[in-house]
């Protein structure tokens, strides 16, 4: 059936060029014989035969030229596109087409396919890394729980040992639960399944409330708290989403600040923006570490890996993007880190509740 369709296509092309050629040659003969005396019947018959043969030759020439041109400009790029799509369907995202020499329309399609494969390749890499990271992060607490569970089965354990081992199981289970919660929240945010419930509220009050949740930690580590929080800074945003930002930033500040250190929190209103600054006197980080801290599962300081899973700052970045704000970090080794979050106090009616990405 496919071969018959191809044959019919070439036949239509042949007839088209035959009619065009006959018309052109006939017009040429009419112009030629316009001022010429009427020839003999034999001459006319011979000229008609020559004319017919000329029409056939020119038509065949046109058909061959058209076929070669179609082969180069249409069939070849179509075959390349078809083969590339077949490979992509089978999961091969390394396909790259060469649009050079193709028609403009086909070149545009090839460029779009190249962009698509680049994006799919990146997504596949992220998916593979994500699965590997989740597996690795789950493996550690599971191993701890298994070890402590085995120890709890030992006879003649003292009450102190039993409480210690049970606490180890509980802490590992809590860490897994937090990781699953962060993964679900991050997935919902990235797939736009969380729609901000915006309302006007006092950011000053929210920051103080979030900070007080860490009172037991700063008292235990004897960390000094220095605040400069402007009063009654009103913003129009989703309070629940922004609480994720402050809780994660405060948690990191206290986690990386050694006993006797200081955590500084400030809030200012600059023009139409609220600017929150969280600074600590912790271990800090090198520039190459700071360039990756907003990536999933990235942990620059492995010595604190047991206290987190590398998802907190990814959540922070995503939430800040959703509320149309910006976040930056300044840090140096052994000199602490400063996170600065800038959020518009009010958003336009056209963009309320929408994800900027």
């Amino acid at each position: 059936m496919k071969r018959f369709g191809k044959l019919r296509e070439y036949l239509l092309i042949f007839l088209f060029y035959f009619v065009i050629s006959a018309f052109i040659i006939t017009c040429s003969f009419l112009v030629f014989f316009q001022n010429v005396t009427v020839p003999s019947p034999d001459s006319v018959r011979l000229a008609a035969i020559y004319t017919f043969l000329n029409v056939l030759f020119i038509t065949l020439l046109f058909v061959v030229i058209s076929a070669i041109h179609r082969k180069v400009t249409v069939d070849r790029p179509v075959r390349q596109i078809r083969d590339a799509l077949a490979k992509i369907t089978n999961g091969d995202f390394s396909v790259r087409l060469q649009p050079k020499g193709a028609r403009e329309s086909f070149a545009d399609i090839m460029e779009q396919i190249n962009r698509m494969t680049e994006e799919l390749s990146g997504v596949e890499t992220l998916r593979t890394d994500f699965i590997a990271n989740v597996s690795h992060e789950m493996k550690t607490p599971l191993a701890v729980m298994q070890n402590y569970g085995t120890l709890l089965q030992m006879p003649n354990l003292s009450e102190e040992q039993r409480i210690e081992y049970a606490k180890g199981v509980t802490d590992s289970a809590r860490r897994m639960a937090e990781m699953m919660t962060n993964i679900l929240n991050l997935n919902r945010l990235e797939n736009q399944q969380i729609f901000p419930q915006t309302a006007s509220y006092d950011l000053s009050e929210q920051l103080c409330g979030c900070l007080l949740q860490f009172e037991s930690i700063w008292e235990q580590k004897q960390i000094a708290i220095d605040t400069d929080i402007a009063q009654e800074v009103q913003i129009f945003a989703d309070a629940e989403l922004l609480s994720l930002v402050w809780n994660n930033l405060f948690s990191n500040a206290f986690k990386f600040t050694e006993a006797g250190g200081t955590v500084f929190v400030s809030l200012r209103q600059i023009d139409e923006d609220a600017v929150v600054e969280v600074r600590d006197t912790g271990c800090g980080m090198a520039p190459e570490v700071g360039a990756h801290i907003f990536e999933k599962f990235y942990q620059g300081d492995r010595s604190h890996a047991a206290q987190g899973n590398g998802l907190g700052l990814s959540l922070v970045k995503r939430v800040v993007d959703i509320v149309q704000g910006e976040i930056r970090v300044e840090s140096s080794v052994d000199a602490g880190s400063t996170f600065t979050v800038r959020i518009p106090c009010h958003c336009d009616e056209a963009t309320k509740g929408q994800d900027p990405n």
Side-chain angles (χ1 to χ4, degrees):
M1 191 70 180
K2 189 175 180 181
R3 185 178 299 177
F4 176 75
K6 207 76 170 174
L7 181 61
R8 184 177 60 181
E9 181 180 354
Y10 281 119
L11 181 60
L12 290 174
I13 293 174
F14 180 85
L15 290 175
F16 172 77
Y17 283 120
F18 184 85
V19 172
I20 294 295
S21 302
F23 176 76
I24 293 173
I25 292 176
T26 301
C27 291
S28 299
F29 269 93
L30 288 175
V31 172
F32 178 76
F33 286 117
Q34 185 176 6
N35 297 318
V36 179
T37 56
V38 178
S40 63
D42 292 337
S43 299
V44 172
R45 189 180 301 110
L46 187 60
I49 294 174
Y50 285 152
T51 300
F52 180 75
L53 293 176
N54 283 333
V55 169
L56 284 179
F57 174 76
I58 295 174
T59 301
L60 288 174
L61 183 61
F62 282 170
V63 169
V64 171
I65 294 173
S66 176
I68 294 174
H69 183 264
R70 179 183 175 83
K71 190 77 173 177
V72 173
T73 61
V74 178
D75 291 350
R76 182 181 296 174
V78 167
R79 185 178 67 254
Q80 292 176 352
I81 292 172
R82 185 180 63 245
D83 294 343
L85 292 176
K87 291 181 179 179
I88 294 171
T89 303
N90 292 327
D92 182 4
F93 302 131
S94 63
V95 178
R96 297 294 183 273
L97 295 172
Q98 300 298 327
K100 186 177 180 180
R103 286 184 180 179
E104 183 177 354
S105 55
F106 288 118
D108 290 340
I109 295 174
M110 290 178 173
E111 289 287 353
Q112 293 300 323
I113 290 176
N114 288 340
R115 292 179 186 175
M116 179 183 68
T117 53
E118 287 177 5
E119 290 293 330
L120 290 173
S121 180
V123 170
E124 180 65 17
T125 301
L126 288 175
R127 186 185 69 86
T128 304
D129 291 345
F130 181 80
I131 293 174
N133 286 324
V134 169
S135 301
H136 174 75
E137 294 294 334
M138 291 184 65
K139 186 177 180 180
T140 302
L142 284 174
V144 172
M145 292 170 67
Q146 184 178 6
N147 291 336
Y148 280 127
T150 302
L151 292 173
L152 282 170
Q153 297 176 31
M154 296 176 61
N156 303 323
L157 282 178
S158 66
E159 188 65 21
E160 183 179 350
Q161 288 176 317
R162 193 177 303 277
I163 293 175
E164 180 185 352
Y165 298 156
K167 184 177 181 299
V169 173
T170 303
D171 290 344
S172 297
R174 176 187 53 77
R175 183 184 171 196
M176 285 190 63
E178 289 178 352
M179 181 175 66
M180 291 299 105
T181 300
N182 284 338
I183 289 175
L184 290 173
N185 286 336
L186 191 56
N187 181 67
R188 292 171 66 191
L189 286 170
E190 291 184 339
N191 289 282
Q192 301 181 20
Q193 295 175 356
I194 292 180
F195 300 97
Q197 303 297 318
T198 53
S200 180
Y201 73 94
D202 190 337
L203 180 58
S204 313
E205 184 179 336
Q206 183 186 43
L207 283 175
C208 293
C210 290
L211 188 59
L212 286 173
Q213 295 179 23
F214 297 88
E215 184 176 5
S216 60
I217 297 177
W218 81 57
E219 288 182 348
Q220 180 183 355
K221 297 180 68 175
Q222 296 182 344
I223 295 175
I225 304 298
D226 187 4
T227 61
D228 182 14
I229 299 177
Q231 298 300 308
E232 298 183 357
V233 176
Q234 297 287 325
I235 67 170
F236 192 90
D238 188 317
E240 185 177 352
L241 278 181
L242 282 180
S243 67
L244 292 174
V245 174
W246 317 134
N247 287 333
N248 274 287
L249 292 181
F250 294 158
S251 175
N252 281 345
F254 290 119
K255 178 170 68 175
F256 291 105
T257 301
E258 300 297 334
T262 302
V263 170
F264 173 79
V265 180
S266 73
L267 168 63
R268 296 167 294 161
Q269 182 168 349
I270 301 177
D271 297 329
E272 296 298 320
D273 296 335
V275 180
V276 178
E277 186 177 290
V278 180
R279 184 169 70 244
D280 63 66
T281 58
C283 58
M285 53 189 162
E288 57 270 19
V289 175
H292 299 281
I293 59 172
F294 295 113
E295 297 176 5
K296 297 176 188 174
F297 295 104
Y298 185 81
Q299 292 177 319
D301 183 2
R302 298 304 302 177
S303 64
H304 292 80
Q307 303 177 38
N309 46 56
L311 287 172
L313 289 178
S314 296
L315 274 171
V316 168
K317 181 65 168 66
R318 187 59 182 151
V319 171
V320 171
D321 287 343
I322 287 177
V323 299
Q324 304 173 33
E326 61 180 34
I327 182 172
R328 69 176 189 273
V329 59
E330 298 176 3
S331 183
S332 56
V333 178
D334 297 329
S337 303
T338 301
F339 286 86
T340 304
V341 180
R342 194 179 188 104
I343 299 172
C345 293
H346 306 282
C347 58
D348 298 334
E349 291 294 331
T351 57
K352 286 179 183 177
Q354 291 185 5
D355 186 345
N357 295 330

